[in-house]
Amino acid sequence: DEAIDKIVALDTEEPKFLFDPRDPRVYFIKGELTEINFDEELYEFGKFDAVIHAAYIIRTPYWKSERLKQEKMNFGGAEKIFKYAFK
């Protein structure tokens, strides 16, 4: 859509097929939501018109330690990105 000025994508791995990496409107930041310093990484982009959060670990891990990591990333990541978006 030509009305979109820029898209900032954050994920632990760069997607290979969801966007054209040659598109100058797309910026990718690699990292976990719970570890990214949004004030540093996103400052240059200014305010956002929309935030789409779809970074969830959906498979249930077998080990308790992995379940705790899953909870931290799913709930902690969601809380962090939405707090940033609405400040």
Side-chain angles (χ1 to χ4, degrees), residues 8-16 18-19 27-33 36 38 54-57 73:
V8 180
L10 303 108
D11 203 343
T12 56
E13 297 295 326
E14 186 171 353
K16 304 284 188 253
L18 294 178
F19 66 91
Y27 302 86
F28 179 78
I29 299 170
K30 184 176 179 174
E32 291 185 9
L33 291 178
I36 293 173
F38 295 133
Y56 293 99
I57 300 172
M73 290 178 67

Side-chain angles (χ1 to χ4, degrees), residues 26-80:
V26 178
Y27 302 86
F28 179 78
I29 299 170
K30 184 176 179 174
E32 291 185 9
L33 291 178
T34 56
E35 297 176 0
I36 293 173
N37 182 329
F38 295 133
D39 288 323
E40 285 181 13
E41 296 286 347
L42 303 177
Y43 176 79
E44 68 183 277
F45 299 106
K47 290 195 161 237
F48 293 89
D49 293 327
V51 173
I52 300 169
H53 174 46
Y56 293 99
I57 300 172
I58 57 173
R59 292 192 176 172
T60 303
Y62 293 108
W63 312 109
K64 184 176 181 177
S65 62
E66 290 298 311
R67 284 195 304 264
L68 295 174
K69 181 180 176 183
Q70 178 189 36
E71 287 178 12
K72 175 186 171 196
M73 290 178 67
N74 286 351
F75 297 114
E79 180 180 35
K80 188 174 177 182

